[in-house]
Amino acid sequence: MLKYDTWEEQEHDFPFPSDSETKGAMEVLQWAYDYYGDELVYACSFGIEGSVLVDLISKVKPDARVVFLDTGLHFKETYEVIEKAKEKYPSLNIEMKKPALSVAEQAGEHGDELWKRNPNLCCQIRKVIPLEETLSGASAWLSGLRREQSETRRNTQYVNKDNRFKSIKICPLIHWTYKDIWRYAHKHSLPYNTLHDQGYPSIGCQPCTLPADWASGDARSGRWSGQGKTECGLHQ
Ligand code: SF4
């Protein structure tokens, strides 16, 4: 169920750029929940964009469904911020979606530390298939992608056809800069992943995430560093 076939149609409803504090995000969220209602799910990684988007969502739909893809391999700081979010937003439905195989079962079937030898298969098992299962019961999903994050995200629109998951992907934060995100997070005293204070602008699973190489100018340079991989397969 896609309302927009062209970018021009989206521009009509969401003038670029909105001059509100949230750069169009609240307008997009309001439209998205009006249009999709309970059929809309937010797949949240609980990085700083996640902290901001959860807060914005809570103002539009306090009982929204928020799903965290719990690979079982996340940093303890990530689990800590999820617990803080559950306390701050008790009416949100925050789900921990786990893969079919535990980490030990995956090691039994595919060998130890699959992420070192075949990270694409590991992401497929622990992230992509669980998101497929999550989206099988939803019409659309929300993501905190920002255009500034990387070259591969430069053309992201508010409303995107998602051929990979045969769904609609809605990205309210596309016009936000990293400074915008932090300004909002501090202004509203949001809980956030403390790894951000230790040089990690982008946070995924512990075995595949290092502090960023700021000299590269790529905030995602610490993800799968040296493995020739830049995305987990959720965003194409
Ligand atoms: Fe596996 Fe790394 Fe992907 Fe996490 S990010 S699912 S550990 S390959």
Side-chain angles (χ1 to χ4, degrees), residues 71 73 115 119 122-123 126-127 205 207-208 224 229:
T71 63
L73 292 160
W115 48 87
C122 186
C123 278
R126 313 204 75 72
K127 289 186 174 180
C205 295
C208 301
W224 303 283
K229 178 175 166 71

Side-chain angles (χ1 to χ4, degrees), residues 31-227:
W31 167 81
Y33 280 107
D34 286 347
Y35 195 69
Y36 291 106
D38 291 334
E39 299 274 296
L40 183 60
V41 59
Y42 175 29
C44 183
S45 61
F46 284 94
I48 189 61
E49 287 84 2
S51 291
V52 168
L53 199 40
V54 161
D55 190 72
L56 296 176
I57 288 170
S58 73
K59 295 173 179 174
V60 175
K61 187 164 172 61
D63 63 343
R65 185 175 173 216
V66 178
V67 174
F68 175 67
L69 299 177
D70 185 4
T71 63
L73 292 160
H74 290 282
F75 291 90
K76 71 174 175 43
E77 289 86 347
T78 304
Y79 293 108
E80 285 168 2
V81 76
I82 293 170
E83 288 310 307
K84 288 179 184 170
K86 287 179 178 175
E87 285 172 24
K88 184 173 173 65
Y89 311 102
S91 64
L92 285 179
N93 289 305
I94 299 178
E95 302 172 18
M96 308 292 275
K97 174 67 178 170
K98 295 183 186 301
L101 299 179
S102 69
V103 175
E105 288 167 341
Q106 178 172 292
E109 284 193 22
H110 299 283
D112 274 340
E113 300 184 321
L114 180 61
W115 48 87
K116 287 185 179 171
R117 291 172 288 105
N118 192 341
N120 287 336
L121 178 58
C122 186
C123 278
Q124 179 73 13
I125 293 169
R126 313 204 75 72
K127 289 186 174 180
V128 176
I129 292 173
L131 183 60
E132 266 174 5
E133 292 170 355
T134 298
L135 296 182
S136 68
S139 296
W141 63 298
L142 286 161
S143 169
L145 295 189
R146 294 182 298 106
R147 288 181 178 175
E148 186 197 58
Q149 282 172 317
S150 68
E151 277 304 320
T152 57
R153 298 181 177 187
R154 210 65 84 190
N155 294 320
T156 308
Q157 308 294 342
Y158 283 131
V159 185
N160 306 268
K161 280 182 184 168
D162 186 345
N163 295 324
R164 172 66 188 79
F165 292 103
K166 298 181 176 57
S167 185
I168 304 301
K169 183 166 66 175
I170 299 167
C171 304
L173 302 181
I174 53 174
H175 297 305
W176 288 50
T177 64
Y178 199 51
K179 275 188 181 170
D180 292 331
I181 291 281
W182 280 103
R183 193 179 299 123
Y184 184 93
H186 287 315
K187 179 178 177 183
H188 298 278
S189 302
L190 302 186
Y192 67 87
N193 193 320
T194 55
L195 286 173
H196 288 306
D197 297 332
Q198 299 170 45
Y200 294 78
S202 177
I203 303 163
C205 295
Q206 185 161 12
C208 301
T209 307
L210 293 173
D213 171 15
W214 289 104
S216 73
D218 180 0
R220 291 177 55 80
S221 57
R223 306 290 299 278
W224 303 283
S225 181
Q227 289 183 285

